[in-house]
């Protein structure tokens, strides 16, 4: 799995984040080498990033982030007809955003290492209700070709243990952008457990048709 570096602006768009949302206690799970935590922390936000890759130390992380950038580009090249550049404007603009995000991450992970916690779903190293909002960018559903429905349900229940609300983007499989066959069943299973679960449109599209997030909260 790639360790990628999406930016604060991309996260804002993926998750429809308002200024009020950004004032809440936020968890970025699976944060990878994203610049979101660095930028939000610089603006005074209460934010923690968690990812299993943080167990590897700064050099391994920097290498993984560089590999993530080239690996992500290869996925786009292989499936170029499944992407639209409307939101980014151009491939160059997207590359600039990612490079800036990676620089922000690299500086913050060294200078403010307490904000970056090694941990993995479906068992996070946080107490119940430690966060108001958990954001999950490009792990759940994205890698549903290797992580099954049972894993997704366990991961979401764990995120709802530590956070009042969970937002997940995107809701399609990486590369092809195919629909996730078990998404509707998973939403039904979450509702049966008593959670409020809905897919909500967002103002961002890169993989064609990937313009919704999943929002789950305590019902
Ligand atoms: C495609 S990257 C996304 C990174 C970042 N959220 C972004 O959008 O750029 C997926 C991340 O999931 C992390 N990951 C893999 N397995 C995980 C797990 N079980 N729990 C939490 N994160 C995991 C990987 O280390 C990787 O950094």
């Amino acid at each position: 799995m790639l360790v990628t570096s999406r930016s604060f602006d991309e996260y804002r768009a993926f998750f429809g984040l308002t200024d009020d949302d950004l004032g809440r206690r936020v968890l970025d799970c699976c944060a990878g080498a994203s610049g979101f935590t660095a930028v939000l922390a610089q603006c005074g936000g209460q934010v923690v990033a968690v990812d299993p890759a943080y167990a590897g130390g700064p050099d391994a992380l920097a290498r993984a982030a560089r590999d993530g950038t080239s690996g992500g580009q290869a996925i786009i090249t292989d499936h170029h007809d499944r992407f639209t550049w409307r939101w980014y404007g151009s491939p160059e603009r997207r590359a600039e955003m990612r490079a800036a995000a990676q620089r922000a991450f690299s500086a913050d992970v060294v200078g403010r290492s307490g904000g970056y916690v090694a941990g993995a779903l479906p068992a996070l190293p946080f107490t119940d209700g430690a966060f108001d909002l958990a954001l999950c960018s490009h792990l759940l559903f994205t890698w549903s070709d290797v992580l099954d429905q049972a894993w997704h349900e366990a991961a979401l229940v764990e995120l709802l243990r530590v956070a009042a609300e969970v937002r997940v983007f995107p809701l399609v499989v990486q590369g092809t952008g195919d629909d996730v066959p078990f998404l509707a069943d998973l939403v039904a299973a979450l509702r049966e457990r008593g959670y409020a679960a809905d897919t909500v449109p967002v103002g961002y599209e890169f993989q064609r048709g990937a313009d919704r997030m999943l929002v789950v909260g305590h019902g």
Side-chain angles (χ1 to χ4, degrees):
M1 197 173 297
L2 304 177
V3 176
T4 49
S5 310
R6 293 182 175 83
S7 64
F8 180 83
D9 288 345
E10 287 169 298
Y11 267 51
R12 264 200 103 127
F14 298 161
F15 299 112
L17 294 171
T18 63
D19 289 347
D20 281 351
D21 290 330
L22 295 170
R24 299 160 78 188
R25 297 170 302 161
V26 180
L27 175 67
D28 183 4
C29 174
C30 55
S34 166
F36 174 77
T37 290
V39 172
L40 183 52
Q42 272 159 24
C43 298
Q46 300 176 71
V47 58
V48 172
V50 63
D51 197 293
Y54 300 157
D59 290 345
L61 258 177
R63 235 184 353 263
R66 277 197 303 275
D67 292 349
T69 300
S70 50
Q73 189 51 51
I75 290 175
I76 296 166
T77 305
D78 289 349
H79 301 277
H80 60 91
D81 55 322
R82 307 303 293 266
F83 291 86
T84 165
W85 293 96
R86 226 179 8 250
W87 191 85
Y88 289 104
S90 67
E92 292 74 23
R93 176 77 190 107
R94 176 178 173 277
E96 279 164 20
M97 287 179 94
R98 292 296 172 85
Q102 205 175 109
R103 283 194 299 274
F105 165 78
S106 299
D108 201 43
V109 80
V110 173
R112 215 179 47 82
S113 57
Y116 295 83
V117 177
L121 289 167
L124 296 174
F126 304 113
T127 54
D128 295 0
F131 301 95
D132 301 311
L133 178 61
L135 305 175
C136 184
S137 156
H138 294 83
L139 173 63
L140 271 69
F141 305 116
T142 298
W143 297 94
S144 54
D145 47 347
V146 289
L147 298 166
D148 65 11
Q149 179 176 346
W151 186 89
H152 278 70
E153 188 169 337
L156 284 163
V157 168
E158 175 66 352
L159 285 164
L160 287 156
R161 180 185 69 76
V162 303
E165 180 184 334
V166 177
R167 300 184 194 178
V168 184
F169 181 88
L171 308 181
V172 300
V173 183
Q174 53 92 15
T176 60
D178 287 342
D179 289 341
V180 174
F182 57 75
L183 177 60
D185 282 353
L186 182 57
V187 168
L190 290 166
R191 288 178 180 158
E192 268 170 37
R193 285 176 179 266
Y195 297 116
D198 278 299
T199 70
V200 176
V202 298
Y204 172 94
E205 185 185 19
F206 185 37
Q207 278 176 293
R208 290 186 189 280
D211 56 0
R212 299 181 78 81
M213 65 174 163
L214 175 66
V215 180
V216 192
H218 293 262

